[in-house]
Amino acid sequence: MRKVLKLSAIDYKRRWNKPVLVLIYILSPVLITLIMWFAFGGDGSDSGFSPIKIAIVNNDKGKIISDFLEGAFSHEKAKKYINASSVSYDKAMELINNRKVSAVIIIPKKFSDRLIKRENTEMKLIKNPTEIIYPMIAETGMNILKDGANYILTIFGEEIETIRKAVDDKKNIDSAMFKNLYDSIEPKIKKIIPLFKDKKIKIEELTEKRKKTSFVIYIFAGMSFFFLFFISNAILNDMVKERNKFIIKRLFLSELKKSEYFFSRILSSIIFVFTIEIILAITGRLLFNLKTNNIFWLLITLIVSSVTLTVLSATIMGLSNNERQVNTLGMIFVFFFAILGGSLIPVSALPPSLSKFSVVSPLFYITESVISLVIGRMERFYNMIFVSFLISLFLLFLSYFLNIKALKKVVK
Amino acid sequence: MLTVKNIKKSYGEVEALKGISFEVKRGEIFGLLGPNGAGKTTAISILTSLIEPDSGSAFYEEKNIFSNTKWWRKKIGVVPQEIAFYEELTAKDNLMLWAALYGMGESEAKERADYLLNLMELGSKEKAKVSEFSGGMKRRLNIAIGIIHKPEVLFLDEPTVGIDVQARVNIRELLKKFVDGNMAIIYTTHQLEEAEELCDRIAIMDEGEIKAQGTLKELISNLGEELEVEFSGVFDLDKVEKIIGEKPELKLIKLSEEKIVVEVDAEEIIPETVELFMKKKVMINTMDIKRPNLETLFLKLTGKELREQ
């Protein structure tokens, strides 16, 4: 045991030999979270989204429907999120080709007439291929407006031709025609108005109000574990490096046992990762107000997660014969587990076909443990931390077996 | 005494050791001299229990070292060719680590580490990281780690490889300091002067075999008393050939328009030869007499110039 502790202490000391590298690993998740924090208004202020830029080419002369669509985009509330400008076709093409707008909506000629005559017509949408989210939002918005317009046409389809004539030719409004129109529209409006007046349809927001920081914890916890996984890989990389050097033989020519060597490396890595986790936890508390009153469980979570990351890295080392294999396998494991585990993208944002595989990533359980603890979902936390513990135990056995086998190839 | 008997080792088709045998007594430095690829490191790896031999045996204090590995590892110290310690740490940290791994107590380890740092002239650099050390200093620390636990048998595998001449001489001087009557040292090298200066007995190795072994005196005496004399100047080949032909004590080794190399049985023949050349108007610019040494022996035994390695 004394040898394990001595070798661990020496190994731990060696880790601080490159403080700049350690600092980079600590700062990386903090900086990324800070960027996200400001970008998405994580402090609870207005969204940091810049408005979606849309160009509208209105070729319609009829005006009624197209003005409705164009007007919808310039609505006061919509203007906060959508910056729509009415331009010519050529200008719109120039804007989309230069990636200056997220989408172009083209309203064709005789659009209103055709709608009024209840003929099929279509608006055209050109999306900016270099963007993903904004054009999708523009398309969704356009579909909502299309459905709205179709709904209005369905209700007032019979009267709309008369209305158009009345608007187009104000001088020749026939009082009989007006009366007929009024008689026809009035009952329909009477039926619709109460829906709006009495606010029969309401939206109640059930989003948890207690934690404004829950969005940040996803980013911060995920990013931290992503970089901590790199750290544990970098620490344990020495196990593979040493296997190809005389130093490993020299170590075993002393009375050191293979198991003592393995556990000393594991212990130093756990302590080092845990140290960085403590630094990150304090940083998270100070910068992003991420905190929990449950200090005991926080410590347990940090210990279990540092063990999980260490034994996961040790498994990679046990599977690798040289540094090149460590780098290749390390990268594959880090990104595979990080993507599936919600370190890079929250699991909820993953496509369903991918998110169902999150359960295979040890990073998923440790990230979810921290998140659940911070946002106070204790039942989920207990489940996650328990599974993390079981995974750590399994990986500890696996990595022990693989590394001892690899050592036996090098030293008798 | 360490007794090594007929050790063989092959790697596939390649016979790395073809049956080597030797003995090393306590207080003795035994040199394994040979070019790269001679089998020196394989021999050391087997004798330090790092790899198993195909056949053969080795005994220390009448115990088979191959079947008592744990016991044997406590008795030996190893200084590898490679720098084998942690360069991110200080020299003292490294020494303290290996002392702990050998089961030494804290105070004993500290005392021994301080002693070795001074012995190896590293005392002033006690707190400096080893990565800041010169090549010679790293080599000295490599040796210090090998003897931290006071081994009875020390294996030094080319401990001065890759450092400059001055640092090499310095290490040789230090090695002489810690050799005492209790330690047996097996020293591999391809440096003739190292073997000549340090080793009490030398085994000349080549292609997995020991070609000859003994003290330096014993080895050279095997070569006989012949001296090699080299004359330089501008020579008439026919004339020189005729003169040498007239004197049976001279054995012609090499003849060119600029150089004559002859072998003589006795030293007194040399002035006679010079006189004869002068008499026959053969103009000599310089003369060099080569006495038998380890280099000529090595050349004779292996057909190779060790300096070329």
Side-chain angles (χ1 to χ4, degrees), chain B residues 49-67:
Chain B
S49 76
L50 289 171
I51 55 173
E52 285 178 1
D54 295 340
S55 63
S57 59
F59 293 88
Y60 182 73
E61 291 174 352
E62 294 172 3
K63 269 190 180 179
N64 188 333
I65 64 167
F66 301 138
S67 50

Side-chain angles (χ1 to χ4, degrees), chain B residues 122-260:
Chain B
L122 295 169
S124 60
K125 294 275 181 183
E126 189 187 312
K127 287 177 183 166
K129 278 182 189 163
V130 181
S131 54
E132 296 163 16
F133 281 16
S134 68
M137 289 162 82
K138 285 178 186 174
R139 288 279 160 194
R140 297 207 295 270
L141 178 61
N142 215 23
I143 295 169
I145 291 169
I147 56 172
I148 185 78
H149 58 299
K150 300 179 186 170
E152 290 177 22
V153 181
L154 178 64
F155 292 88
L156 291 144
D157 189 10
E158 308 224 21
T160 60
V161 77
I163 52 173
D164 60 53
V165 179
Q166 201 182 342
R168 208 180 296 155
V169 170
N170 181 242
I171 285 178
R172 285 211 293 269
E173 292 303 317
L174 289 170
L175 282 174
K176 283 179 200 167
K177 275 193 204 172
F178 70 76
V179 173
D180 56 36
N182 288 321
M183 198 191 284
I185 297 178
I186 291 124
Y187 190 102
T188 77
T189 182
H190 64 265
Q191 303 282 341
L192 286 161
E193 58 272 31
E194 266 183 19
E196 279 176 342
E197 192 185 328
L198 278 175
C199 301
D200 300 309
R201 289 193 306 119
I202 299 163
I204 294 178
M205 278 191 82
D206 190 39
E207 293 173 353
E209 286 177 303
I210 291 180
K211 302 282 185 182
Q213 60 177 304
T215 62
L216 185 62
K217 206 174 170 185
E218 283 166 356
L219 289 169
I220 291 170
S221 69
N222 289 338
L223 282 174
E225 294 297 312
E226 290 93 350
L227 299 172
E228 210 174 82
V229 190
E230 189 179 298
F231 300 98
S232 67
V234 181
F235 307 119
D236 176 339
L237 298 180
D238 292 339
K239 194 175 171 181
V240 170
E241 221 165 340
K242 200 179 166 189
I243 296 165
I244 291 171
E246 284 169 7
K247 203 165 172 56
E249 300 93 328
L250 298 176
K251 189 179 162 192
L252 183 64
I253 305 288
K254 194 178 174 186
L255 178 61
S256 69
E257 285 177 354
E258 294 91 28
K259 197 181 274 183
I260 307 164

Side-chain angles (χ1 to χ4, degrees), chain A residues 294 297 369 372-373 377-387:
Chain A
N294 226 322
W297 280 114
S369 299
S372 309
L373 184 66
R377 289 184 185 154
M378 292 310 284
E379 200 177 326
R380 183 169 172 78
F381 165 74
Y382 294 133
N383 288 336
M384 290 294 141
I385 200 72
F386 182 64
V387 178

Side-chain angles (χ1 to χ4, degrees), chain A residues 321-369:
Chain A
N321 291 321
N322 52 49
E323 273 189 82
R324 190 179 289 180
Q325 284 182 11
V326 170
N327 293 336
T328 314
L329 271 179
M331 278 294 167
I332 293 169
F333 272 67
V334 168
F335 281 99
F336 179 75
F337 286 140
I339 290 169
L340 287 184
S343 297
L344 297 177
I345 308 161
V347 175
S348 55
L350 287 174
S353 54
L354 268 184
S355 64
K356 65 185 172 191
F357 292 110
S358 291
V359 290
V360 301
S361 171
L363 263 64
F364 169 72
Y365 300 99
I366 55 176
T367 311
E368 286 296 317
S369 299

